[in-house]
Amino acid sequence: MTGLLLLIPVALGLGLVGLVAFFWAVRNGQFEDLEGAGMRILIEDEDSDA
Amino acid sequence: MNAPSHVALGQPLSTTLFAVPGMRCAGCIAKLENGLAAIDGIASARVNFAARRVTIAHQSSLDLPALKAAIAGIGFAAELVPDIAAVDDREARRLVRAMAVAGFAAMNIMLLSVSVWSGAEGATRDLFHWLSALIALPTIGYSGRPFFQSAWAALKHGRTNMDVPISIGVTLAVALSLFETFTGGPHAYFDGAVMLLFFLLVGRWLDCVMRDRARDGVTQLVRQTAAGGYVVIPDGQTAWTDARRLQPGMTLRVAAGERLAADGEIITGSTAFDLSLLTGESAPQLRAAGNIVYAGTLNVSAPVDVRVTAAGADTALADIARLMDAAGQGKSRYVRIADRAARYYAPVVHALAALSFAGWMVAGAGWHQSLIIAISVLIITCPCALGLAVPTAQIVAAGALMRRGVLVKDGSTLERLAEADLVAFDKTGTLTLGRPVLENAGDVPAALVPPLVALAQASRHPLSLAIVSAFAGHGLAVPTLTDVKEMPGEGLSACWQGTAVRLGRPAADDAGLAAAFEAGGWPPVLLHFSDALRPDTRVAIADLGRLGLDASVLSGDRTAPVTKLAGELGLDAASALSPADKLRWIEGRQQSGRRVLMVGDGLNDGPALAAGHVSMAPSSASDVGQNAADAVFLGDSLLPVPIAVRAARRTMRIVRQNFALAVGYNLVAVPLAIAGLVTPLIAALAMSGSSLMVIGNALRLRAAA
């Protein structure tokens, strides 16, 4: 039983972390442009002074 | 990725959204973002590749034409995305959040349930039930809202829909499980209730994504008719003014190639106007001082000043929009197949549950036992598979159609498309390409081709454009002409290596769609043009005939060309129809029980598109046409029309199969539930099993189009 008391909150907590991370990603527009994100890897960063 | 800005700090920035359909690769993203950010007055540019859009943050002093020119300077054609068309994806986001919460909760509750099913007893079982309740209650409050709200709205209006049995089932299941938890009973249905919500939210979300995605595609293609115009201000200069701020009495200076933003009267100058947006006819009409011109029409040849007589909601364009609105009302009364099914389903389910309660009470099982059985009947019949049956099939089919170049605006389009039994085509721009094509390019002596192309390039007249495109790709070295003049209604003249060249109206008036080209001592060349049929038109019409759809032509054009074309294609024809006539024609047919599929493109087809049982527009259509139509097809070919009809019918077959699967599952599960044999474990297995079956069946539609 003591094991359960520790493990259940841990399991729930990890799940919650995932849920919060997902919400954060949606809110920050991480899913806005799925195709473009893949393509941006191919863009050379030009040397700029800024 | 945003390059250094050239914008002074502290200046107010505006953001403008442009659709750039031409971007194809990572290079385009880099070119657009870096190129735009390097321009004075632009703070930053951000490309959304999936939506083919670029968002520009810029100083308010940069106006719309300047931004458009900036994008054109980088090598891309861009169109403003109007505020009203900006996609509202709030509903999809709300559903995604609800789905994420339900998914999280379902997984955790299932974890606890598995240990209960594996034989946890006594204090452990009670603890697990309490934990499940703790997770399930807020989840149902949050994720269940879309269903509760919709069910409540339906009940308030005395109707019922799929959400009513869902809401009742979920609420009762949770209430019963809470009671069981309080009393330390063996069975709690928290897992079933939450899993049900999760599956249903998946279906609901798919439905919503499909709508948004197609609307995205459509707004992307929308050509802004006229966002505004240059108003002559008292000191003789001009200032860009938004269409919303135009007022009667203002004077607009309309350059060649620009669309009018308001109705008005020409005060100086004369020019040809392309009225195809209003009449569907592509040959430009001459308009001079004193003539009335309409918003949305295109000035083809020379700059004119126009005094605004009506702007905004008072224009002829807005009148047609209102006609369309009214015509579209009938379509909004269409009842989706899922809701029609719910109309029969809900009463049966509720009657069954009530009967099992009464039956077990009579049999002396006691009210607690009877209630549990009645509720398990409700849970097991909860239309989980039914909720997925329609949206999964429709989204898979819409995806298949999208790959074939048909953008379907929502699921009900496919349902209505499958029912169509009569198809009405507009002529110009729908059966034909809507742009003149040069027929006798070979008649032009080779030596005269370069000056002809050079002269044609100087004008935006449709015939000039046709000449340019007929000779495009020949690798011509186009000579420079001097003294180019465009005389509205007459044609172009210029000087080529000391020779006078002229391209214009032929001497004979009965030459049809033609132009004459004269150069010095050469004999004049008569150029013939025709508005060519779309490729595959005959095949497409024959194919529609095989599908049992009779075809007719509805055109606003004159009778002679319409009957000629209809005769060639073997179709019935009605010609010289006003937008209201087309609307009446369609309403007449529909009142006699036909289901009309309207295919049209112009503004003059708008009301007909809105009134048709279902409607399609080519992507070359006016934005009004594209907005009014239920589906938009890309490319020149007309084949997507029969392809879409066939795919819609296959989709409905799969939907009906899915219904049959769902009902079949109920035929097995309901007797078990009535017999009192259903435990939460069986409920969970049956529910996910039937859902997976329905999804698997829907996936067969991937090759539907």
Side-chain angles (χ1 to χ4, degrees):
Chain A
M1 274 309 263
T2 39
L4 279 183
L5 288 182
L6 182 68
L7 285 175
I8 287 173
V10 167
L12 286 178
L14 283 177
L16 268 180
V17 168
L19 190 67
V20 169
F22 178 74
F23 269 51
W24 170 85
V26 169
R27 195 155 296 178
N28 270 275
Q30 299 291 322
F31 296 101
E32 293 285 297
D33 184 12
L34 295 175
E35 279 174 72
M39 294 209 165
R40 278 170 197 277
I41 302 171
L42 302 172
I43 300 177
E44 268 322 314
D45 267 332
E46 284 162 34
D47 293 330
S48 64
D49 314 328
Chain B
M1 209 53 60
N2 293 328
S5 84
H6 299 256
V7 177
L9 288 173
Q11 290 219 18
L13 290 177
S14 356
T15 49
T16 311
L17 189 60
F18 283 96
V20 186
M23 61 170 99
R24 298 224 148 65
C25 59
C28 303
I29 301 180
K31 247 198 298 190
L32 270 172
E33 290 188 343
N34 298 333
L36 283 174
I39 289 169
D40 265 347
I42 293 181
S44 67
R46 177 81 191 175
V47 167
N48 182 333
F49 188 81
R52 302 286 193 284
R53 282 191 181 156
V54 58
T55 311
I56 303 176
H58 59 93
Q59 282 175 0
S60 329
S61 56
L62 274 184
D63 60 14
L64 204 57
L67 288 172
K68 231 164 137 167
I71 301 177
I74 300 170
F76 293 93
E79 293 298 339
L80 177 79
V81 179
D83 296 341
I84 35 158
V87 173
D88 179 19
D89 60 352
R90 256 176 312 177
E91 201 197 340
R93 277 161 185 261
R94 201 169 67 120
L95 286 174
V96 153
R97 282 200 296 269
M99 199 172 77
V101 169
F104 157 79
M107 278 188 293
N108 282 286
I109 296 174
M110 203 49 79
L111 213 64
L112 298 166
S113 298
V114 168
S115 26
V116 173
W117 299 334
S118 325
E121 274 183 338
T124 320
R125 188 178 65 197
D126 285 349
L127 172 69
F128 282 6
H129 279 169
W130 276 110
L131 278 173
S132 302
L134 208 65
I135 304 170
L137 286 179
T139 305
I140 284 166
Y142 181 76
S143 300
R145 262 185 321 176
F147 304 100
F148 299 148
Q149 280 165 357
S150 147
W152 179 238
L155 285 178
K156 244 191 341 202
H157 292 104
R159 285 182 284 116
T160 177
N161 59 13
M162 217 41 137
D163 293 332
V164 174
I166 292 170
S167 302
I168 294 179
V170 167
T171 314
L172 284 179
V174 168
L176 171 81
S177 309
L178 269 183
F179 177 80
E180 288 282 294
T181 306
F182 271 114
T183 53
H187 295 317
Y189 287 94
F190 292 118
D191 52 349
V194 175
M195 195 166 68
L196 176 72
L197 281 184
F198 175 67
F199 277 125
L200 290 169
L201 281 165
V202 171
R204 204 55 61 96
W205 176 69
L206 286 178
D207 207 32
C208 185
V209 162
M210 181 165 104
R211 265 200 323 260
D212 284 355
R213 199 172 53 177
R215 211 168 34 185
D216 246 8
V218 171
T219 34
Q220 206 182 86
L221 297 162
V222 163
R223 289 171 310 185
Q224 185 65 10
T225 35
Y230 286 97
V231 168
V232 181
I233 46 181
D235 63 357
Q237 294 208 305
T238 56
W240 171 262
T241 308
D242 201 84
R244 275 170 299 196
R245 266 183 251 122
L246 288 174
Q247 268 163 18
M250 287 178 164
T251 303
L252 275 175
R253 181 153 298 160
V254 190
E258 248 184 61
R259 275 185 197 277
L260 261 177
D263 291 358
E265 184 189 344
I266 299 185
I267 45 177
T268 48
S270 67
T271 183
F273 267 92
D274 178 350
L275 305 180
S276 56
L277 192 67
L278 286 174
T279 61
E281 237 184 301
S282 58
Q285 313 279 312
L286 192 65
R287 290 288 183 270
N291 286 152
I292 301 292
V293 285
Y294 296 105
T297 55
L298 178 70
N299 178 4
V300 212
S301 45
V304 284
D305 281 358
V306 172
R307 193 180 36 241
V308 176
T309 53
D314 305 322
T315 58
L317 200 71
D319 272 345
I320 297 191
R322 274 191 289 274
L323 198 58
M324 260 166 58
D325 250 11
Q329 300 285 313
K331 213 177 275 188
S332 63
R333 282 197 294 270
Y334 176 81
V335 183
R336 299 278 304 262
I337 185 166
D339 291 329
R340 267 182 282 162
R343 223 180 256 169
Y344 302 106
Y345 193 75
V348 172
V349 165
H350 293 154
L352 267 179
L355 278 178
S356 1
F357 178 75
W360 281 96
M361 282 299 272
V362 171
W367 71 269
H368 179 235
Q369 179 75 19
S370 310
L371 200 61
I372 286 182
I373 287 169
I375 288 172
S376 73
V377 169
L378 272 183
I379 294 174
I380 207 89
T381 54
C382 239
C384 188
L386 281 183
L388 285 168
V390 185
T392 47
Q394 287 175 346
I395 195 162
V396 176
L401 277 173
M402 193 173 279
R403 283 193 296 278
R404 290 297 295 265
V406 182
L407 306 175
V408 179
K409 282 197 194 158
D410 64 11
S412 83
T413 301
L414 289 170
E415 297 173 18
R416 287 179 279 125
L417 200 54
E419 292 172 353
D421 58 5
L422 181 67
V423 52
F425 288 102
D426 170 48
K427 185 179 82 80
T428 316
T430 306
L431 283 177
T432 67
L433 287 167
R435 55 173 190 257
V437 174
L438 179 59
E439 282 194 318
N440 55 339
D443 290 359
V444 186
L448 287 185
V449 170
L452 171 62
V453 173
L455 197 54
Q457 274 177 352
S459 158
R460 290 187 50 90
H461 193 284
L463 296 187
S464 301
L465 295 176
I467 293 172
V468 173
S469 67
F471 292 106
H474 286 208
L476 287 176
V478 177
T480 319
L481 302 177
T482 52
D483 203 18
V484 181
K485 277 204 273 296
E486 181 160 13
M487 292 151 296
E490 287 304 317
L492 295 150
S493 67
C495 195
W496 167 59
Q497 297 171 355
T499 323
V501 288
R502 195 185 87 87
L503 172 66
R505 178 186 283 244
D509 255 353
D510 56 352
L513 207 53
F517 180 58
E518 293 155 25
W522 294 79
V525 184
L526 195 59
L527 302 165
H528 291 288
F529 299 87
S530 67
D531 186 1
L533 277 183
R534 281 180 183 272
D536 307 320
T537 300
R538 284 165 214 280
V539 186
I541 289 174
D543 208 7
L544 285 169
R546 272 196 295 280
L547 287 168
L549 277 83
D550 306 325
S552 296
V553 181
L554 296 187
S555 179
D557 208 345
R558 286 163 298 121
T559 307
V562 175
T563 30
K564 179 167 169 280
L565 180 110
E568 277 171 30
L569 293 170
L571 305 177
D572 299 333
S575 55
L577 300 177
S578 72
D581 290 337
K582 290 191 180 189
L583 179 62
R584 268 196 295 278
W585 189 95
I586 287 185
E587 284 178 341
R589 292 297 184 285
Q590 298 202 146
Q591 265 152 26
S592 59
R594 305 299 295 266
R595 305 271 167 81
V596 181
L597 160 60
M598 174 72 202
V599 187
D601 71 318
L603 174 68
N604 58 335
D605 299 317
L609 288 169
H613 186 62
V614 59
S615 51
M616 291 181 79
S619 60
S620 59
S622 63
D623 59 347
V624 181
Q626 294 195 7
N627 280 329
D630 294 307
V632 173
F633 60 93
L634 310 174
D636 280 348
S637 166
L638 204 60
L639 275 182
V641 177
I643 288 175
V645 172
R646 192 163 281 137
R649 292 193 179 167
R650 265 200 75 185
T651 308
M652 291 319 288
R653 261 205 306 282
I654 294 279
V655 164
R656 279 190 287 268
Q657 282 171 14
N658 273 350
F659 276 146
L661 279 175
V663 169
Y665 141 82
N666 274 324
L667 287 184
V668 178
V670 168
L672 286 179
I674 293 177
L677 297 173
V678 167
T679 61
L681 173 62
I682 292 177
L685 286 180
M687 217 183 292
S688 35
S690 68
S691 299
L692 288 178
M693 221 151 58
V694 165
I695 293 172
N697 193 31
L699 284 176
R700 297 198 302 138
L701 280 170
R702 261 181 316 179

